Amino acid sequence: MDIKKKFAGDFSLTFIGLVIYNGALQFLVYPLLSKRLGNTAYGEVLYYISIFAITSVALGLASSNTRLVQRNNYSISNADCTIYNFAVLFVMSIAVGILLFCQKVAFIDAVMVLVIQILMALRYYTEVIYKINVNFKKYLVFYVAVTAGYVVGAIIFNFINLWWIPFVFGETAGIAFSLLATDLKHKPFTGHDNFAKFTKSTTPLLISYLLYYLVMNLDRIILRNMLGSDSVGPYYTATLIGKTAAMIVSPLSGVIIGYLTNEDSKINKKLFTKFNFIVVAGGLLFFGLTLIGTPIFTKLFYPEYYKEVLKIMVLVNFGQVMCFVSELILNVVLTFKHEKWQMIIQIVYAVVFIVLAIAMVHSVGVLGMAIATAVANAIRLILAIVIGYFDDGSKKEIAKV
């Protein structure tokens, strides 16, 4: 089969799976949580979600993308990845546990945040096997299984009102499917000869992803602590369409990485330029669509936030679009640049965002968060493109033809 047709087919299968999964979250799970819990309690749950959305996603993607990128450089076993994941999760669980204890979060809520953190990190990591094997039909079924778990959990939540049930059911369903349908269960803790190499390769990427997802979810954390839980719901609702696109981008970029890291795949300046143009143009088109879709979506599912959302949606959605556009470009740059550049860009991005967010929220409230998000992500996009063209002698340089 022609490689372009196969790529298009695999990309489409992945996109369909992600739309099904995120559609269930945004149109069923989150609106149900908001309706059943109320504004203040829902704001608290969004804060909990932001924690494992930072730690779990960062770890799962770092270990899976490292395995994809480095598989042609040295042998990586299931044990190398599994031991690394559990070692990092142990440290993360202690850090998050101390944070929640200091904030006097209810014991059962704190425990469930830690449980979901572990489940979600493992579920994100298990996705690597479908990309390595280039088996995106099974990847689609995997997302159907995850979605089914969330739907069942949401139905149960509707009767017993425990916020964590949809997440536990959804993440567990994904892990169970991967263990049953792939060879990830083969020797998960034995045969870790290249653990040290894997750790050295993965840790800079983990730090960069932690910084990225920290910034991506820091809006809820800063708003909760500076303005109170009631401010979280309206802002998060304004970001939902843009954040959904950003959440879809990470797994989709894994498809791109999977193809670009094949031994016979190369990227040149012409292809990199074309990719940048398509992604930026697509981002601007999507930005226009968010301005149409956000008011409709809010009116249908979160009518109580409608007026607040209209005030901030332009800047919020521009920032989110810049976020997922720069993420796509940065992940492609990862395939031919040293991992350190990911970390450097994310550090600059995080510092700019945190300083701007605190200053602007203090000055103008929720609108300040929207301004900080737009500026920081625009800077990140520019840095990603510049580093892509910059010849630093690292890794396999982008070809000039």
Side-chain angles (χ1 to χ4, degrees):
M1 182 185 293
D2 181 77
I3 188 68
K4 292 182 179 179
K5 290 183 179 178
K6 181 167 173 52
F7 174 78
D10 291 340
F11 195 88
S12 298
L13 289 171
T14 304
F15 183 77
I16 291 169
L18 289 166
V19 168
I20 292 171
Y21 164 65
N22 283 286
L25 287 182
Q26 308 303 352
F27 295 106
L28 174 64
V29 177
Y30 288 160
L32 186 60
L33 287 170
S34 176
K35 181 180 179 181
R36 296 278 295 177
L37 297 175
N39 191 20
T40 301
Y42 179 58
E44 284 296 302
V45 170
L46 288 176
Y47 172 64
Y48 303 151
I49 293 172
S50 69
I51 293 174
F52 49 76
I54 296 168
T55 56
S56 304
V57 179
L59 175 57
L61 289 177
S63 56
S64 63
N65 283 346
T66 298
R67 188 167 184 176
L68 276 172
V69 171
Q70 297 295 342
R71 58 185 165 148
N72 295 324
N73 298 325
Y74 57 87
S75 176
I76 302 174
S77 67
N78 288 336
D80 292 325
C81 303
T82 304
I83 294 172
Y84 181 84
N85 286 337
F86 277 106
V88 174
L89 279 169
F90 178 74
V91 176
M92 284 181 171
S93 295
I94 293 174
V96 172
I98 293 172
L99 171 68
L100 296 177
F101 176 79
C102 292
Q103 294 184 331
K104 298 180 180 179
V105 171
F107 179 75
I108 185 62
D109 287 338
V111 169
M112 295 316 300
V113 168
L114 298 181
V115 169
I116 296 169
Q117 176 179 254
I118 294 169
L119 293 174
M120 186 174 286
L122 296 177
R123 192 266 293 177
Y124 265 91
Y125 166 70
T126 64
E127 298 180 22
V128 71
I129 198 67
Y130 308 106
K131 299 165 189 174
I132 289 175
N133 295 332
V134 197
N135 190 342
F136 291 96
K137 289 181 180 178
K138 189 173 286 186
Y139 195 29
L140 172 60
V141 180
F142 163 81
Y143 265 108
V144 171
V146 175
T147 304
Y150 269 97
V151 171
V152 170
I155 293 170
I156 296 173
F157 162 76
N158 198 42
F159 292 100
I160 60 177
N161 221 40
L162 296 172
W163 68 268
W164 44 266
I165 285 182
F167 299 94
V168 171
F169 272 72
E171 301 304 322
T172 302
I175 294 171
F177 178 84
S178 291
L179 291 178
L180 291 171
T182 73
D183 63 356
L184 279 176
K185 57 184 176 291
H186 179 64
K187 294 183 178 180
F189 297 104
T190 57
H192 46 87
D193 297 338
N194 287 318
F195 175 74
K197 285 185 179 180
F198 183 77
T199 299
K200 185 177 180 180
S201 300
T202 308
T203 302
L205 196 57
L206 172 62
I207 294 170
S208 71
Y209 280 145
L210 281 171
L211 289 169
Y212 169 62
Y213 285 103
L214 172 65
V215 174
M216 186 175 171
N217 293 279
L218 200 57
D219 48 13
R220 284 170 272 179
I221 298 173
I222 291 176
L223 289 173
R224 174 190 180 268
N225 287 286
M226 290 187 69
L227 302 179
S229 297
D230 288 350
S231 66
V232 179
Y235 185 85
Y236 181 69
T237 302
T239 68
L240 269 177
I241 293 179
K243 279 187 183 292
T244 299
M247 288 186 287
I248 288 174
V249 159
S250 293
L252 283 179
S253 63
V255 181
I256 298 171
I257 291 173
Y259 274 88
L260 290 179
T261 52
N262 282 330
E263 292 184 355
D264 58 348
S265 296
K266 292 182 179 179
I267 183 168
N268 53 44
K269 281 190 175 181
K270 182 179 180 181
L271 183 58
F272 184 59
T273 301
K274 184 184 292 186
F275 177 80
N276 291 340
F277 177 80
I278 292 172
V279 171
V280 172
L284 292 175
L285 175 62
F286 183 79
F287 173 59
L289 294 176
T290 63
L291 299 184
I292 299 171
T294 297
I296 298 171
F297 174 79
T298 305
K299 193 72 172 178
L300 288 174
F301 295 96
Y302 301 92
E304 66 274 23
Y305 300 146
Y306 184 71
K307 290 183 179 179
E308 293 98 320
V309 167
L310 289 182
K311 297 175 184 176
I312 60 175
M313 71 173 191
V314 175
L315 279 172
V316 165
N317 282 305
F318 178 77
Q320 296 302 320
V321 168
M322 290 298 99
C323 176
F324 75 72
V325 166
S326 59
E327 177 70 0
L328 264 176
I329 293 173
L330 201 51
N331 275 309
V332 169
V333 170
L334 172 65
T335 65
F336 60 87
K337 290 290 183 179
H338 195 282
E339 293 85 356
K340 69 178 181 181
W341 289 113
Q342 280 256 359
M343 186 167 64
I344 291 170
I345 290 174
Q346 303 293 24
I347 289 172
V348 173
Y349 171 54
V351 170
V352 170
F353 176 80
I354 292 170
V355 171
L356 277 178
I358 293 174
M360 296 304 295
V361 169
H362 180 73
S363 299
V364 296
V366 175
L367 181 62
M369 182 62 71
I371 295 171
T373 301
V375 173
N377 279 295
I379 291 173
R380 182 171 179 259
L381 173 61
I382 294 170
L383 287 175
I385 294 174
V386 169
I387 293 299
Y389 286 110
F390 176 61
D391 187 350
D392 65 343
S394 68
K395 227 172 179 180
K396 50 177 185 178
E397 284 297 333
I398 189 168
K400 300 185 186 304
V401 294

